[in-house]
Amino acid sequence: MRKHFRTYCLLAVAVVAVALLSVSCIKDNDPAVGGKASVTMTFTTRVSDNVTAENLLDNEQMRKLRVIVARSGTNDIIYNVSYDIQPAEKQKVIRFSELTVSEEGEDFDFYAIANEEAFLGEGESLEGKSVDLNALKSRILKKDFNSPALSKIPQAAFKTIKVGPSENTSAIMKLLFPLAKVVLNFDNQTGESVDLSNVAISGKIADRGYLFKEINTGYPDDIIDKGPVTFGDIVVPDEQAVSYIRYLYPWTSENTYKLTATWGSKTHEVVFKIGDEELKKLEAGQQLNVNVSLLVNKQVTIDWKVDDWNPVTNDVPSFN
């Protein structure tokens, strides 16, 4: 009896061992449970079609790029890497390999941020795998990027990509400026130097905006109107063209954008219109180009256009 009992025990142990061995083999080798995949991502700056990234002003160019890759369902961070971008680099191509995916495929969230030092506060960091991605998605910027003048400008982009086992996926992420840009160009055709005072663009000027405009299509709560965008007193040398730049948070309101400037004893004012519609909104990545021609007898002609972000061809003087 004991002999038979020992035999049954040995058989039972053998059956359990075989069962465990079978489970191990399925987990490690059976493609039905998933596999590895890779994504090759090209990162570049979203600008006007006739502009390349290296044509942007120095403060607008991508100088540091951070990329965070996380599983969409869990927010588990898989990659968090940063790169210094050289002035000659038009884009950055990164291959994210060894992404473990389920048999059905998985969604991965890609966060791209350029020039993070432009908005991070003292002691803040985006390093590591403990970054609060929910907070990052809804990050609100409050910095005045006109103080000091021509401050470094951040960029950001977000994209979700579904990847299946053994797939080698390629995609492009174009980083968006979270600000609108105003370029005020003066062309002096008077034959003498011109002094202008109280130069300003008024409208609803927001004090904050979202970093990721692709995720947050609206506007933050509790926006404060900062008042006019001031350029102060401007001297335009004879037969020269100069450009002045301001960066604004996107906003829309009932207040129309308009330009005012005093030349001698006369104050000039123009309300911006696009077609028959008054301009009351500037979106992230848009640029308001205002061209002011200063003519003899203190005559002024002004034209303007809202376009995608593009470079400035004239010299940009320093200002406060």
Side-chain angles (χ1 to χ4, degrees), residues 47-298:
V47 287
S48 180
D49 291 339
N50 61 347
V51 178
T52 55
E54 71 269 18
N55 296 136
L56 296 170
L57 296 174
D58 287 345
N59 65 309
E60 299 171 353
Q61 294 193 23
M62 187 189 305
R63 285 291 176 259
K64 180 177 181 179
L65 173 66
R66 179 174 301 281
V67 182
I68 299 174
V69 184
R71 296 187 189 277
S72 300
T74 62
N75 268 353
D76 291 338
I77 295 176
I78 303 167
Y79 290 98
N80 186 348
V81 293
S82 64
Y83 299 87
D84 291 328
I85 308 299
Q86 301 304 314
E89 289 187 84
K90 301 178 182 179
Q91 59 187 28
K92 185 70 175 179
V93 181
I94 306 173
R95 184 173 184 266
F96 301 93
S97 60
E98 299 298 313
L99 294 172
T100 303
V101 298
S102 65
E103 182 183 12
E104 298 79 17
E106 291 188 49
D107 288 337
F108 292 89
D109 292 336
F110 287 75
Y111 302 77
I113 302 171
N115 307 330
E116 62 191 51
E117 70 278 8
F119 63 87
L120 288 179
E122 185 176 353
E124 279 192 287
S125 173
L126 294 178
E127 296 283 353
K129 295 188 176 183
S130 61
V131 176
D132 186 340
L133 295 181
N134 290 324
L136 184 61
K137 284 181 181 179
S138 58
R139 177 71 184 245
I140 294 176
L141 307 177
K142 298 181 180 180
K143 177 179 177 179
D144 181 358
F145 290 97
N146 300 305
S147 181
L150 302 179
S151 297
K152 185 71 72 176
I153 303 298
Q155 306 170 38
F158 176 84
K159 184 186 286 286
T160 299
I161 296 178
K162 186 170 185 177
V163 183
S166 303
E167 285 187 358
N168 296 307
T169 303
S170 296
I172 297 175
M173 291 184 71
K174 293 185 177 181
L175 279 71
L176 175 68
F177 293 104
L179 307 168
K181 179 179 177 180
V182 176
V183 180
L184 185 56
N185 301 305
F186 291 94
D187 181 16
N188 186 353
Q189 302 175 24
T190 64
E192 59 185 11
S193 179
V194 171
D195 294 333
L196 302 174
S197 61
N198 302 317
V199 181
I201 291 179
S202 58
K204 179 76 173 186
I205 311 302
D207 70 328
R208 67 194 67 187
Y210 288 112
L211 173 63
F212 285 96
K213 287 298 296 178
E214 292 168 311
I215 302 174
N216 307 284
T217 56
Y219 305 101
D221 296 330
D222 302 324
I223 285 180
I224 298 174
D225 186 356
K226 295 180 60 178
V229 181
T230 59
F231 297 84
D233 297 339
I234 293 175
V235 177
V236 186
D238 178 30
E239 296 184 353
Q240 289 192 25
V242 294
S243 299
Y244 292 83
I245 293 176
R246 292 292 189 270
Y247 299 101
L248 312 180
Y249 288 111
W251 182 239
T252 182
S253 75
E254 293 302 314
N255 297 334
T256 304
Y257 288 103
K258 62 181 179 181
L259 171 68
T260 56
T262 300
W263 184 4
S265 59
K266 183 177 181 180
T267 297
H268 298 265
E269 178 179 293
V270 60
V271 174
F272 297 128
K273 291 184 178 182
I274 305 298
D276 295 329
E277 297 291 329
E278 293 182 345
L279 180 62
K280 299 180 179 181
K281 177 172 67 174
L282 285 173
E283 294 290 3
Q286 287 187 329
Q287 178 171 318
L288 171 61
N289 295 299
V290 183
N291 301 307
V292 181
S293 296
L294 304 172
L295 310 175
V296 295
N297 298 323
K298 292 185 169 58

